[in-house]
Amino acid sequence: METLQTTSQQTVHAPQQTNGLPKVIVQAVTSKKQLAQFIDFPHDLYRNDENYVPELFIAQRDLLTPGKHPFHEHSKLQAFLAFRGNEIVGRIAAIDNTNHNIFNKTNDGFFGFFDCINDSEVSQALFSAATKWLKERKFSTMIGPVNFSTNETCGLLIEGFDGPPVVMMTYNYPYYVKLIEEAGLGTKITMYAWKIIPQYMNDRPFRVMTVLKERLTRRNITFRSVNLKNFDEEVKNIHAIYNSAWDKNLGFVPMTEKEFEYLAKDLKMILDPDFGIIAEENGKMVGFALAIPDINQILRKIKRGRLFPTGILKLLLGKKKINGVRVLALGVLESHRKLGIDACFYGELMKVGRAKGVAYGEGSWILETNEMMNAAMRGINADPYRTYRIYEKEI
């Protein structure tokens, strides 16, 4: 049987409460049964929240299982479940991201997959277990929530709880802010999600794009859509751009070839090639932009993230009805920035969105310190409608 990473401390007991409730016990996840409980806990926690979107069980299982996801080839994690009596009341994962620390020359530990009832005793017990695991590995800092890094879902939602999250974005109860800050964590970075409504957009991006494209053509920079018939080669080149264009972002860690291929394989199933735009100079890729359909419109209807027996039909039949997108990535090689390529990407994505009748788009996430991207969002009348935060503390 495959098992998760084990830890020397299998069980953590919290102090007995004075109100007569059973003590909180935190257990390390070491079996397939416990992993299933870890994945399913949020479904029960959010069962009355209409904005909750369940993760697909099979995707979460593979993400968290060594031998299934390439993250585990270079790093490790330990998942924990909190029990009060026989009831699961919280979960967390402590994460050792080796590649992050090598690339950034840091000594950071991480936490992720945090979900908890509104109870400080439970959250404190979970953070104590995660902190202990990280301290045993000599880390000096705990950062999160990240699942596993900024290349995957990350950040705590702190503003904008009035609707479901878009694809590959996080969602949580507002009280998580209190629980995390009570555990001694403070703000590391704030991130924004910008909502773009086509009917409120001005036409400036299209006018600018026309002028810029003429100028860029003179230096042999052209634009095209992703070629799905040559997908493997496209992924290889986009991977190189991704690792180069984002390398100075806070907390960035390069994706390995296997990690990027794993992500690309998943995205290919929902990708509309018209929303994948590539910039080339003399036939060599220098930038790309990617918007993906907001498949959360369908996933929120799939009970407990199970594709069978009916979830797969909802997925297949609902794909064509999706009317929203998320701008997942937009990057240009440093040598080709400030030429207007990014502005052309904005214009092209909006042009495609209007043609396809897209009702909304989300640009996310964008660091609060990224003045250029935030200014670009303001310039097209986008709304900074959601705010996320990554926390940290010394341990």
Side-chain angles (χ1 to χ4, degrees):
M1 180 198 301
E2 290 175 337
T3 60
L4 297 187
Q5 299 289 338
T6 59
T7 180
S8 58
Q9 181 68 28
Q10 296 293 322
T11 305
V12 177
H13 297 269
Q16 178 72 46
Q17 278 199 331
T18 57
N19 59 10
L21 291 173
K23 69 177 67 173
V24 177
I25 298 175
V26 178
Q27 294 183 353
V29 173
T30 59
S31 69
K32 286 183 177 180
K33 178 183 178 181
Q34 290 172 318
L35 178 60
Q37 292 174 317
F38 184 88
I39 295 169
D40 283 340
F41 171 66
H43 307 329
D44 298 319
L45 183 67
Y46 291 92
R47 61 183 175 273
N48 296 319
D49 190 327
E50 62 181 13
N51 293 326
Y52 172 67
V53 179
E55 296 278 5
L56 289 179
F57 179 85
I58 189 171
Q60 286 287 283
R61 182 197 65 194
D62 289 354
L63 181 70
L64 290 162
T65 302
K68 295 287 188 179
H69 191 282
F71 168 84
H72 303 279
E73 294 180 6
H74 58 77
S75 299
K76 61 177 70 72
L77 69 84
Q78 177 60 60
F80 295 93
L81 284 169
F83 291 83
R84 180 174 275 143
N86 294 322
E87 182 184 5
I88 297 174
V89 289
R91 70 173 194 170
I92 200 170
I95 301 167
D96 171 0
N97 191 326
T98 302
N99 281 5
H100 165 92
N101 286 317
I102 291 173
F103 180 78
N104 290 287
K105 297 181 176 61
T106 53
N107 188 38
D108 299 326
F110 297 87
F111 78 90
F113 303 94
F114 172 71
D115 287 291
C116 186
I117 65 171
N118 191 5
D119 188 311
S120 297
E121 183 198 10
V122 178
S123 59
Q124 292 285 355
L126 286 166
F127 279 109
S128 292
T131 300
K132 185 177 188 302
W133 191 88
L134 294 173
K135 280 186 173 181
E136 288 174 351
R137 284 148 186 83
K138 310 300 182 185
F139 292 115
S140 57
T141 309
M142 180 166 68
I143 298 171
V146 296
N147 311 325
F148 307 113
S149 72
T150 55
N151 292 319
E152 289 85 28
T153 57
C154 65
L156 188 80
L157 179 65
I158 62 170
E159 291 180 6
F161 297 93
D162 56 346
V166 302
V167 58
M168 297 177 68
M169 292 296 287
T170 60
Y171 178 77
N172 52 265
Y173 284 125
Y175 66 77
Y176 279 34
V177 174
K178 173 179 69 73
L179 296 182
I180 288 177
E181 292 181 354
E182 283 178 347
L185 289 109
T187 300
K188 180 175 180 64
I189 191 67
T190 300
M191 310 175 295
Y192 300 125
W194 294 79
K195 192 167 189 177
I196 306 160
I197 306 295
Q199 69 184 83
Y200 298 137
M201 289 190 319
N202 58 50
D203 289 329
R204 184 175 179 275
F206 304 106
R207 297 194 301 271
V208 170
M209 180 176 67
T210 301
V211 174
L212 288 173
K213 274 193 167 184
E214 292 178 359
R215 185 187 306 165
L216 291 168
T217 299
R218 290 196 289 271
R219 56 175 296 169
N220 296 321
I221 295 176
T222 56
F223 297 84
R224 64 173 178 84
S225 298
V226 169
N227 182 0
L228 293 183
K229 293 182 179 179
N230 193 27
F231 188 70
D232 289 346
E233 186 66 21
E234 296 278 57
V235 169
K236 180 181 177 181
N237 291 327
I238 291 173
H239 178 213
I241 298 288
Y242 180 84
N243 279 350
S244 176
W246 277 267
D247 67 342
K248 292 181 176 60
N249 277 3
L250 180 72
F252 176 77
V253 54
M255 296 184 77
T256 67
E257 184 176 337
K258 288 184 179 179
E259 285 175 319
F260 201 82
E261 288 174 352
Y262 189 100
L263 174 62
K265 182 180 178 182
D266 281 350
L267 292 180
K268 186 180 181 182
M269 292 188 288
I270 62 171
L271 179 64
D272 179 340
D274 291 337
F275 279 111
I277 302 168
I278 290 169
E280 295 178 322
E281 182 179 42
N282 296 316
K284 182 179 179 181
M285 195 180 298
V286 296
F288 77 97
L290 176 65
I292 57 176
D294 183 14
I295 200 167
N296 278 9
Q297 291 182 9
I298 305 170
L299 295 184
R300 64 189 301 208
K301 302 174 185 176
I302 297 179
K303 190 175 181 180
R304 301 183 74 81
R306 265 55 173 192
L307 287 177
F308 298 100
T310 60
I312 189 69
L313 290 176
K314 292 178 181 177
L315 192 61
L316 294 174
L317 296 175
K319 283 173 63 176
K320 293 183 179 179
K321 299 178 182 179
I322 295 173
N323 66 350
V325 299
R326 176 191 170 198
V327 181
L328 179 66
L330 190 155
V332 180
L333 290 178
E334 188 170 10
S335 58
H336 287 70
R337 291 172 192 166
K338 299 184 179 180
L339 298 177
I341 294 174
D342 53 346
C344 290
F345 281 148
Y346 299 137
E348 287 286 357
L349 290 173
M350 291 177 195
K351 179 180 176 182
V352 173
R354 280 189 173 181
K356 292 180 177 286
V358 168
Y360 66 87
E362 179 178 294
S364 59
W365 41 263
I366 300 174
L367 296 173
E368 63 178 345
T369 54
N370 192 335
E371 307 237 356
M372 185 179 297
M373 288 289 288
N374 287 312
M377 290 294 102
R378 286 190 290 270
I380 59 173
N381 293 338
D383 174 26
Y385 78 129
R386 286 185 183 146
T387 306
Y388 299 82
R389 181 174 295 156
I390 291 177
Y391 289 85
E392 68 176 346
K393 75 169 183 177
E394 294 182 5
I395 57 175

